[in-house]
Amino acid sequence: MPEEDNSLPIDDAHTTRSHVGEGIADGRNYPGYILIGLALATLGLALVAAGYGFKGWALIAGIICAVSLACGVSAVLLERRRVKRREGLDLTDQEGH
């Protein structure tokens, strides 16, 4: 029976885990990673602004940090769930170690 069109290519000869390098190979994860990086950068800005006494800028940076972190983590998890569903698995199914 031929392979299904929606199956993911798995290189069993070079890896023992089915999702090694997924974050690099799947470009749909990048917006989530960028938002998480933005959250870390604005966290630093918020801490510096709070340390120097700029309460308004600290509040603005803190809000941007929280929103971008929430959006980034949810984007990565949604993409991860999409990949797992294509394989017929649930997001919490254990693999690997």
Side-chain angles (χ1 to χ4, degrees), residues 8-11 14-30 33 76 79-80 82-83 87 95 97:
L8 295 173
I10 298 174
D11 186 9
H14 295 100
T15 182
T16 58
R17 297 182 65 196
S18 61
H19 293 287
V20 173
E22 176 190 340
I24 296 170
D26 189 4
R28 293 184 181 185
N29 282 332
Y30 290 147
Y33 294 147
V76 170
E79 177 60 17
R80 179 73 179 142
R82 185 191 70 83
V83 169
E87 297 173 346
E95 287 186 14
H97 297 87

Side-chain angles (χ1 to χ4, degrees), residues 11-15 17-18 21 23 27 31 33 39 41 45 48-49 57 60 62-63 70-71 74 76 84 86 88 92:
D11 186 9
D12 290 327
H14 295 100
T15 182
R17 297 182 65 196
S18 61
Y33 294 147
L45 292 173
V48 169
W57 285 111
I60 291 169
I63 291 170
C71 291
S74 63
V76 170
K84 292 279 249 182
R86 282 183 74 181
T92 57

